[in-house]
Amino acid sequence: MIKVVVCGALGKVGRVVVDEIAGDAGLALAGLVEAPGNAGLGSKVAGVEVTADLAKTLHVCDVVVDFTNPKSALEHVAACAAAGRAAIVGTTGFTADELALAKKAAGTIPLIISPNMSAGVNLMFRIVEEVARSLADFDAEIVEIHHNKKKDSPSGTAAKLAEAIAKARPGSAVVHGREGLVGARKSGEIGMHSLRGGDVTGEHTVIFAGEGERFELTHRAHSRRTFARGTIKAIRFIHGKKPGLYTMADVLGLA
């Protein structure tokens, strides 16, 4: 039995992750954590009380899952490193410095940091890199749309897709939208366009446009349960692993 603490347990993704864990015979909810002042503190979900103190639950868990915000996630990862507990971070919106700081914990504990837990999206990361390399003279543009409550832009997934393109095309640079008389598209640009509206769970399209043809890759998430199921796979994968930084590609056998 793998004992799991979920941070951000009452959030949009956190709630679904909690449901998946509660319904899995091989997993047990060891703790639920939310931000100080959250209206749900003190309530119980699946028989487990929601608390604002991760430290109180660390001694009884094997893995900590975090879907919060960059500031809280950094604190939670540091606490996991100090306690020797594996961590899975699905939080997005990190700056480059924050992400680098979080990754340092991998020297002490097994750690997964992923902007998207979906199997399809993680396969998309790999395919996009291959296409970007094969169609090297095609212009690359990324379009993503999410619900109107999403706080960070572009999405962590879109940023990761841009990284995949840049890996195949060294020297590329992301351009966020275009307005006014910007001139012709420059070589090496990776166009990034973020849309926000309604209750869209998440949709990402990468467009490779060449002379006389266009190649597009699209992933649509129809439910947050997609992310939760990927998280369950990550929990099973990371339990018992040696310290190190792992990816969802490792979890899914795509590495």
Side-chain angles (χ1 to χ4, degrees), residues 140-142 153-155 158-167 169 171-178 185-194:
E141 300 277 316
I142 300 169
S153 175
S155 70
K160 187 73 173 179
L161 288 167
E163 286 180 18
I165 296 170
K167 185 176 179 181
R169 300 177 177 183
S172 297
V174 174
V175 175
H176 295 275
R178 298 181 180 88
R185 191 183 196 281
K186 298 177 180 64
S187 176
E189 284 186 3
I190 301 173
M192 181 73 76
H193 312 277
S194 297

Side-chain angles (χ1 to χ4, degrees), residues 15-139:
R15 286 179 181 274
V16 187
V17 170
V18 169
D19 287 345
E20 288 289 323
I21 293 172
D24 193 307
L27 307 178
L29 283 170
L32 303 176
V33 179
E34 262 300 343
N38 187 287
L41 292 177
S43 64
K44 288 189 176 182
V45 180
V48 180
E49 184 176 349
V50 181
T51 177
D53 191 353
L54 174 61
K56 289 183 178 179
T57 63
L58 278 173
H59 69 287
V60 294
C61 81
D62 301 305
V63 179
V64 173
V65 174
D66 186 281
F67 285 96
T68 58
N69 58 70
K71 181 178 181 296
S72 295
L74 284 174
E75 294 172 355
H76 295 158
V77 168
C80 289
R85 297 295 186 267
I88 298 169
V89 179
T91 298
T92 61
F94 289 104
T95 65
D97 288 342
E98 288 172 336
L99 189 57
L101 185 60
K103 288 180 177 180
K104 286 184 178 180
T108 305
I109 59 171
L111 174 68
I112 294 173
I113 301 177
S114 176
N116 197 307
M117 298 293 177
S118 155
V121 162
N122 281 277
L123 178 59
M124 187 178 186
F125 292 149
R126 178 174 174 177
I127 294 172
V128 162
E129 182 181 340
E130 293 177 0
V131 174
R133 186 175 292 110
S134 298
L135 304 180
D137 60 337
F138 280 47
D139 298 326

